Amino acid sequence: MIDYAKELNPEQYRVVMEEGGPLLVLAGAGSGKTRTLTYRVARLLESGVAQENILLATFTNKASHAMLNRVESLIHAETRNIMGGTFHHVAHLILRRHAHYLGYKTNFSIVDSEDARQIISTCMAELKINPKLSKFPKSNIVGDIISLSVNTETTVENVLMSRYPFFLHLMDEIIQVASLYEQKKRELAVMDFDDLLSNCRMLLQENADVLKNLSGRFQYVLVDEYQDTNLIQADLIDLLASTHKNLMVVGDDSQSIYSFRGADFNNIINFPHRYPDCKIFKLETNYRSTPEILHLANLSITNNEKQFPKELKAVRKNGMRPVIVSAQNVVKQADFVAQRVTELMRGGVPLREIAVLYRAHYHSMEMQMEFVRRDIPFDMRSGIRFFEQAHIKDVTSYMRVLVNPRDELAWRRLLIMYPKVGKATFNKIWHYLKKEDNPLNAVLSEDFIKAMSKSAKPGLEECRKTIRQLLDLPENERIPERIIDVLLNRGGYRVYLQDNYSDASSREEDLIQLGNFSAQFLQMEDFLNELALLTNMAKEENIGEEDDEDKVALSTIHQAKGLEWSYVFLIWCADGMIPLQKALKEQDGEEEERRLFYVAVTRAKDQLYLCYPALDYTRSSGVLNMAPSRFIREIAPLSEYDADRPFEQWMLCDDY
C-alpha cells in the first residue's frame, strides 16, 4: 500500500483521500497537479474501485499515458481497463459502440483536417463558388470558421462578425457551404474531430438508456486542465458524471488563456454554481519558483476581478528579486538579453534552462537576429523562424525583384501567388523574361501580356498593376515599409492573406512590424542582405543538430504554458505589447491578458527579467515613448527609492 501521507503534501493529501462528490481542485502553477491526479487514481484503485469504473480525461494523449504509467508504477499493476485519454479519444470510443442511435454505422470514418478541406472544396464547387474569382475564403479558412462556430456554440454569423469581419459580405454563401458540408458528411458516413464531441454529447442527451449505462459505469470521472475546456467538453463531462456525481476537475482559473481556441473561462469559474454541493480544494504550495518570483505573480493576479482567490507559497529558499529592465530601444533590448545569456552560459548554466518569452511571434525578430549574430543556439517554440514564414518571404520577394530584376526565385514566389499561374505557366513566363535586359520593364510591356495564356491573364494583369505601383514610388521611398504599405493597401496582399490564412490579422501585424524593424537599415539592399545572411546562418546552424541539443527556448507565452526554465526573459513587456492592444478590445480581454502575464511570470524558477524598450520607432508615427506594462505599474511604483517593491529596476546605459 502507498503511504499517501508520506508521499504527498497536506494539500495534495486532502484531495487524494477525499471520498467523492463533485470536487474542484484549483491547482496553482508548479503545485504538483499531475502528481495529485496520479495519486488520486492510484488511491481509487487501491480502495477497490474497478478500472473500468474510472474515466480520466486529458487534453493530450501524452499527459494521459504519463499519468497512467505512473499509476502502474505506484500500484505495480496494469491500468489498461481505465478509460483514459483526450476528450476526442473518449468520445470516439463511445461513438464506436453507439453511433447507430444517431443514424451512423459503427464503422464510420473519421476525417482529418485535410480530408475536411477536400469535402468543403467539393461543396464550394457544387455551389459554383470559385474562391479565386469571387475572393471567397479558401476551404481551410471556411473549415476554421465552421469549427469555431461548433466549438463556441455560436452562429457562423457571430464568428464572422467577431473574427472574420472582412468576409461578412459573403455570409450567406459561407452558411450555404457549412450546411452542405454537414449534409455531405452524413452522406459519406464520416465525422470530423468536432463531430466526435458534438455527436457524443447529442447521443447522451437524446438516448436515456445509453446515458444511464455510461454514467452508471463511470463511478469516478477525473478531468485535467479543466480551465481549457469548451462548452461541449464541459457538457460531455457533466453527462458522463451525472449518475454518481463523483466528478473531480483540476485546473487553474489564473491560467485560462485559450479563449481564441474556443475555451470557455466560465466553465471553471461557474463550476460551484453548476455543482452547489461541490468541495473546493486549493493547491497553493509551489515547488518551482523562488518566493520573490511568486510574490510578483501573486500581486499581479489579484488585480483580476473574476477569479478564485489564492496565493502561491514557495517551498524554495529566497533568491533574487525579478528585474525590470528598461533598454533604450528594441535593438538594445535584444543586445541585453543576448549578453546576459552569454554570461549565464559562461557561468555554467545550460542553455536549455533559459527561455525568452513574448506575447506575439513578431516580437522575436530582433532576438532571433541577435542570437544568430552571436552564434547562440536557439529553438523556436512559437513556430518557424520569423523571417522564414511564408508571408514574410512573399513580401520580400517583391523587394528582391526591385533590387535584382533577374532574381528567378523571387519572381517564382511572387508570380505563383496569382490565379492560374502554376509551375508550367511560370516556366513559360521566365523563359520570356530571362531573355530581356530588364525583366521588370518587360513584365509591363503589352508584348508580355499578349504572349501569355488567356486563363493566366487576369492574374498577371493584377501582378503588373502591383509592380507598376511599386515602380511609381520615388526612388527614396522604395523602402520596405512603403512597399509593404502598397502591397497591403493597394496591391491586394491583404485580401490574399484573408483568403489563405485563418490568422490573417496576425500576419498583417507581422508585416507592419517588419516594416518598422527595417527602419534601422539605410538601404533596402542592406535589409535584404541581412535577412539572407541570417537565414543561411540559421540553416547552417541546424545541420547535424539533434532535438535534445542545448538551446535557448524562444516561445510565445501561449506555447510556454506547462513548461518551466531556470531563467526567463519576458521581452517587449511594454503597454500595448503586454497586454496586446488589439486583445483589449475583446470581452474580458484585459483579464485574460493579465492571466497570460501570470503564466509567463510563473515559468521562471530562479530568475525573471521583464524587459521593455523605452523607445520604439514607426515610420508613420516616428519615435514613440514606451511605458512599461500596466501589469508591472499596477503592482508597485517604478521608483528607485522604493526598497520594498517586488522587483529591481535596471535602466541600461547607452553603451551597455
Side-chain angles (χ1 to χ4, degrees):
M1 294 288 288
I2 301 167
D3 188 344
Y4 295 96
K6 182 180 178 181
E7 298 196 24
L8 302 168
N9 70 29
E11 295 170 345
Q12 297 166 342
Y13 180 79
R14 284 192 291 272
V15 174
V16 169
M17 303 308 291
E18 180 64 34
E19 285 304 317
L23 310 175
L24 172 59
V25 182
L26 300 167
S31 64
K33 77 171 173 64
T34 301
R35 183 178 185 85
T36 305
L37 269 167
T38 300
Y39 275 80
R40 174 70 174 175
V41 174
R43 211 276 295 180
L44 291 174
L45 293 173
E46 282 199 337
S47 66
V49 179
Q51 292 188 25
E52 57 268 23
N53 298 139
I54 298 174
L55 169 63
L56 174 62
T58 62
F59 272 87
T60 65
N61 285 317
K62 182 180 177 181
S64 174
H65 292 156
M67 286 187 211
L68 294 178
N69 287 339
R70 177 59 177 152
V71 171
E72 289 182 353
S73 68
L74 288 172
I75 66 172
H76 307 292
E78 293 185 342
T79 58
R80 64 177 63 185
N81 291 324
I82 291 177
M83 185 177 284
T86 64
F87 289 90
H88 291 88
H89 175 69
V90 171
H92 174 235
L93 292 177
I94 293 171
L95 288 168
R96 281 297 174 203
R97 291 192 63 186
H98 304 288
H100 60 278
Y101 287 100
L102 299 177
Y104 289 88
K105 293 182 178 179
T106 53
N107 65 342
F108 67 87
S109 299
I110 302 172
V111 296
D112 59 18
S113 56
E114 178 58 25
D115 293 331
R117 187 194 65 77
Q118 291 182 7
I119 297 172
I120 292 171
S121 293
T122 301
C123 295
M124 290 162 60
E126 288 188 12
L127 293 167
K128 295 183 169 46
I129 295 171
N130 187 334
K132 291 185 177 180
L133 297 179
S134 65
K135 302 299 182 184
F136 197 83
K138 288 194 172 180
S139 53
N140 61 307
I141 309 296
V142 177
D144 289 341
I145 293 169
I146 295 170
S147 179
L148 193 58
S149 171
V150 171
N151 285 302
T152 57
E153 298 205 294
T154 188
T155 63
V156 168
E157 180 181 5
N158 285 339
V159 171
L160 293 175
M161 289 177 65
S162 61
R163 303 290 180 90
Y164 303 88
F166 36 83
F167 292 139
L168 270 172
H169 65 292
L170 298 168
M171 181 178 66
D172 290 344
E173 291 91 338
I174 293 172
I175 290 173
Q176 288 177 33
V177 173
S179 177
L180 186 56
Y181 175 59
E182 292 303 313
Q183 182 184 324
K184 285 282 183 189
K185 286 187 294 181
R186 280 282 183 176
E187 292 172 357
L188 297 169
V190 301
M191 298 187 197
D192 60 24
F193 275 21
D194 296 327
D195 291 329
L196 291 176
L197 297 180
S198 58
N199 283 342
C200 188
R201 182 181 63 174
M202 187 190 303
L203 169 74
L204 299 177
Q205 288 174 334
E206 297 181 357
N207 296 273
D209 290 341
V210 177
L211 175 61
K212 183 179 178 181
N213 175 267
L214 287 168
S215 66
R217 169 187 167 183
F218 297 125
Q219 295 178 21
Y220 290 88
V221 178
L222 302 94
V223 183
D224 189 22
E225 302 286 9
Y226 189 71
Q227 78 281 346
D228 296 334
T229 54
N230 61 30
L231 292 167
I232 300 174
Q233 289 164 334
D235 284 350
L236 193 56
I237 290 299
D238 286 346
L239 288 162
L240 291 171
S242 59
T243 295
H244 300 284
K245 305 289 187 188
N246 291 324
L247 169 62
M248 186 176 95
V249 301
V250 182
D252 185 3
D253 56 294
S254 298
Q255 298 188 71
S256 178
I257 59 174
Y258 294 123
S259 64
F260 68 95
R261 293 182 186 171
D264 194 329
F265 175 72
N266 291 313
N267 287 343
I268 190 167
I269 209 72
N270 292 333
F271 189 84
H273 298 288
R274 289 210 313 280
Y275 294 92
D277 59 337
C278 81
K279 296 179 181 178
I280 300 177
F281 297 86
K282 296 180 181 180
L283 304 183
E284 297 175 300
T285 303
N286 177 285
Y287 294 89
R288 176 184 299 157
S289 307
T290 62
E292 291 78 8
I293 293 171
L294 294 185
H295 180 47
L296 187 146
N298 288 330
L299 285 174
S300 174
I301 202 63
T302 56
N303 289 285
N304 270 9
E305 291 183 9
K306 294 181 180 179
Q307 63 167 309
F308 293 106
K310 55 185 160 307
E311 184 175 357
L312 295 179
K313 302 175 182 68
V315 171
R316 298 182 56 192
K317 295 180 180 178
N318 288 345
M320 292 180 60
R321 283 186 296 172
V323 181
I324 310 297
V325 182
S326 174
Q328 182 182 6
N329 52 45
V330 66
V331 175
K332 294 290 185 181
Q333 176 183 246
D335 183 55
F336 163 76
V337 174
Q339 181 61 35
R340 185 70 185 115
V341 168
T342 302
E343 293 166 0
L344 291 169
M345 184 170 55
R346 290 171 179 167
V349 176
L351 291 179
R352 68 176 67 88
E353 284 296 326
I354 305 171
V356 181
L357 307 183
Y358 34 85
R359 176 63 179 85
H361 192 38
Y362 67 79
H363 290 163
S364 68
M365 276 189 295
E366 293 83 4
M367 204 68 260
Q368 291 184 53
M369 295 187 75
E370 192 61 30
F371 277 175
V372 170
R373 287 182 185 127
R374 295 188 183 227
D375 199 27
I376 297 173
F378 64 94
D379 179 29
M380 290 299 304
R381 304 289 181 87
S382 54
I384 61 175
R385 299 189 182 215
F386 185 86
F387 301 107
E388 296 173 11
Q389 297 178 104
H391 55 298
I392 304 297
K393 288 186 172 183
D394 286 347
V395 298
T396 54
S397 66
Y398 288 94
M399 302 177 197
R400 286 167 57 185
V401 298
L402 291 177
V403 171
N404 176 16
R406 307 200 73 80
D407 187 334
E408 179 184 355
L409 294 178
W411 276 112
R412 180 186 299 273
R413 185 166 194 102
L414 75 86
L415 284 166
I416 284 179
M417 283 189 280
Y418 292 92
K420 301 298 182 181
V421 180
K423 183 179 179 181
T425 301
F426 172 76
N427 289 337
K428 182 180 179 181
I429 292 172
W430 185 246
H431 181 73
Y432 179 94
L433 293 180
K434 69 181 181 180
K435 296 183 293 185
E436 303 294 322
D437 292 335
N438 189 327
L440 275 172
N441 292 335
V443 164
L444 298 179
S445 71
E446 289 306 310
D447 288 341
F448 168 77
I449 204 69
K450 288 177 182 176
M452 298 300 122
S453 65
K454 186 177 179 180
S455 62
K457 283 182 181 179
L460 293 175
E461 286 286 11
E462 195 175 338
C463 175
R464 279 154 45 96
K465 179 182 175 184
T466 300
I467 290 174
R468 192 174 289 111
Q469 290 169 336
L470 296 176
L471 291 175
D472 285 344
L473 292 171
E475 196 73 35
N476 63 337
E477 289 192 30
R478 290 182 194 174
I479 57 177
E481 189 172 29
R482 285 287 289 124
I483 290 169
I484 291 169
D485 178 66
V486 169
L487 292 175
L488 285 173
N489 297 307
R490 295 159 58 193
Y493 193 71
R494 176 180 285 112
V495 174
Y496 179 83
L497 288 175
Q498 293 168 354
D499 291 346
N500 287 275
Y501 300 106
S502 58
D503 59 345
S505 60
S506 295
R507 292 176 185 259
E508 185 178 333
E509 184 63 30
D510 285 349
L511 294 174
I512 293 168
Q513 296 300 327
L514 178 71
N516 295 337
F517 165 78
S518 69
Q520 62 185 285
F521 300 92
L522 296 177
Q523 301 291 331
M524 188 160 61
E525 291 93 327
D526 297 336
F527 171 69
L528 291 173
N529 289 339
E530 185 73 8
L531 295 194
L533 287 170
L534 287 169
T535 301
N536 286 327
M537 288 169 68
K539 288 178 180 177
E540 290 173 8
E541 171 193 305
N542 288 330
I543 294 175
E545 285 186 355
E546 301 294 332
D547 290 340
D548 61 350
E549 187 167 336
D550 200 27
K551 303 177 189 176
V552 179
L554 266 65
S555 174
T556 62
I557 304 170
H558 284 101
Q559 291 289 335
K561 185 176 174 291
L563 304 175
E564 62 182 34
W565 296 270
S566 294
Y567 297 84
V568 170
F569 298 83
L570 181 58
I571 60 173
W572 277 104
C573 202
D575 221 44
M577 302 297 178
I578 300 176
L580 204 61
Q581 193 62 43
K582 68 177 183 180
L584 297 177
K585 299 175 183 177
E586 302 289 332
Q587 185 177 0
D588 297 325
E590 182 169 314
E591 295 223 336
E592 180 155 339
E593 289 290 296
R594 188 177 287 106
R595 294 195 293 269
L596 261 176
F597 179 74
Y598 176 86
V599 167
V601 167
T602 53
R603 298 312 92 196
K605 295 191 288 185
D606 300 327
Q607 185 62 65
L608 173 68
Y609 296 91
L610 305 172
C611 311
Y612 72 97
L615 300 173
D616 193 23
Y617 174 82
T618 66
R619 189 171 180 273
S620 57
S621 304
V623 177
L624 300 172
N625 289 310
M626 305 292 286
S629 169
R630 67 189 66 184
F631 302 148
I632 295 173
R633 290 181 283 120
E634 69 189 7
I635 59 178
L638 292 172
S639 168
E640 59 181 309
Y641 305 109
D642 185 4
D644 296 325
R645 65 189 187 278
F647 47 75
E648 295 183 21
Q649 189 177 351
W650 295 0
M651 297 187 70
L652 303 182
C653 300
D654 290 350
D655 59 349
Y656 177 83

